[in-house]
Amino acid sequence: MTSDAAPRWDRKMQQRLARGEAAALGELYDRFASLVHSLAHRVLGDEDAADRVTREVFGYIWENPDAYDPKQGPLRSWVAMLTQRQAVHRLRQAESELIRLGGDGTPDEVEEKVREASTAARADYIRTSMPASLRAALELAYFQRRDYRQTAADLGVTEDEARRRLRLGLQLLATAHSHAPHAASPPGYGRAL
C-alpha cells in the first residue's frame, strides 16, 4: 500500500538521517529499538543474535538513509521489513551452517523453519500495529477466551461492533500467512555487514 502523505515525522526523520544527523539516529533507535529487537528475537529465538540484528539494522539505516522512501509507507513498517529480512537471512545462515557441520535437518526443513518464524514475527508486528480497539477485542477473545457477546460487554460496545472488530482483526492477522519471507534484500543488505 502506498501513501503520498507519509507522516511528517517519518519524512523529517529520513531527511535528518540523509543529512547525517547523529541525533536523528538516536531518536530513531529510541523509538524503534524494542520493535527491531523483539521481531529479530521472534525469528531467531536467541538474545545475542537479536542484539546483532538490531545493530545491523540501525547500521544499515545510518549508512543508507535514502533507501527509505516515505511515499512507500510508514518508516515503522520499513524498519520492520528490514529487520525481518535480516533476521531471516541470519536464521538461514545459522541453520545452513548446522546442516553443513553434520547436524540434523535438510534445506527444506530450514525453509519451513524460516517460514514459520517469519509468519510468527509478522503476526506479532501486525497485532502490535493494529488500532487499539481491534487489538483489545482480539486479546479479550484469544487470551481471555471471551466470545463476541462477552467482548462487547467488556469493551462497552454493541455486539455488532465487537463482531466487526474481531473479524477485521482476524483478517489483518491472516495476512501474516499470505506474505512469505522475501528472499531478496535491499542492495548490499543481508550480507555480512
Side-chain angles (χ1 to χ4, degrees):
M1 176 198 303
T2 53
S3 169
D4 291 329
R8 180 180 303 211
W9 187 88
D10 292 1
R11 288 192 311 274
K12 288 196 179 293
M13 178 56 67
Q14 191 272 337
Q15 292 165 354
R16 291 176 62 204
L17 289 167
R19 287 192 303 264
E21 289 184 31
L25 183 63
E27 287 176 39
L28 189 76
Y29 183 87
D30 289 346
R31 184 172 259 192
F32 296 126
S34 64
L35 168 71
V36 170
H37 190 273
S38 67
L39 287 174
H41 191 274
R42 184 72 161 114
V43 171
L44 298 165
D46 178 82
E47 192 71 27
D48 291 336
D51 288 344
R52 272 192 303 282
V53 167
T54 301
R55 286 190 302 274
E56 290 167 354
V57 166
F58 284 101
Y60 175 79
I61 292 169
W62 178 248
E63 293 170 5
N64 302 280
D66 292 326
Y68 169 64
D69 181 1
K71 292 179 183 175
Q72 298 300 310
L75 184 58
R76 183 185 206 297
S77 296
W78 182 71
V79 170
M81 180 270 306
L82 290 176
T83 303
Q84 185 168 348
R85 287 183 179 178
Q86 186 65 2
V88 164
H89 173 74
R90 292 289 176 209
L91 180 61
R92 278 194 182 110
Q93 274 185 326
E95 293 294 321
S96 296
E97 183 66 13
L98 285 175
I99 290 172
R100 190 183 69 71
L101 294 173
D104 293 337
T106 66
D108 287 340
E109 291 170 341
V110 168
E111 286 308 308
E112 181 59 28
K113 185 173 184 176
V114 165
R115 273 190 298 280
E116 289 172 5
S118 190
T119 298
R122 181 161 168 72
D124 284 350
Y125 174 74
I126 290 168
R127 184 185 56 78
T128 61
S129 299
M130 68 177 53
S133 61
L134 300 181
R135 188 172 53 251
L138 285 176
E139 288 173 353
L140 283 169
Y142 183 74
F143 294 115
Q144 296 182 26
R145 307 272 193 235
R146 303 274 202 268
D147 65 19
Y148 75 92
R149 287 183 181 101
Q150 294 165 322
T151 298
D154 288 348
L155 295 176
V157 299
T158 66
E159 290 179 5
D160 285 343
E161 177 62 14
R163 278 195 301 264
R164 187 192 68 74
R165 290 180 186 184
L166 289 168
R167 184 175 28 253
L168 184 53
L170 290 172
Q171 287 171 343
L172 287 171
L173 284 175
T175 66
H177 295 285
S178 64
H179 290 82
H182 198 290
S185 295
Y189 194 72
R191 287 181 249 144
L193 301 176

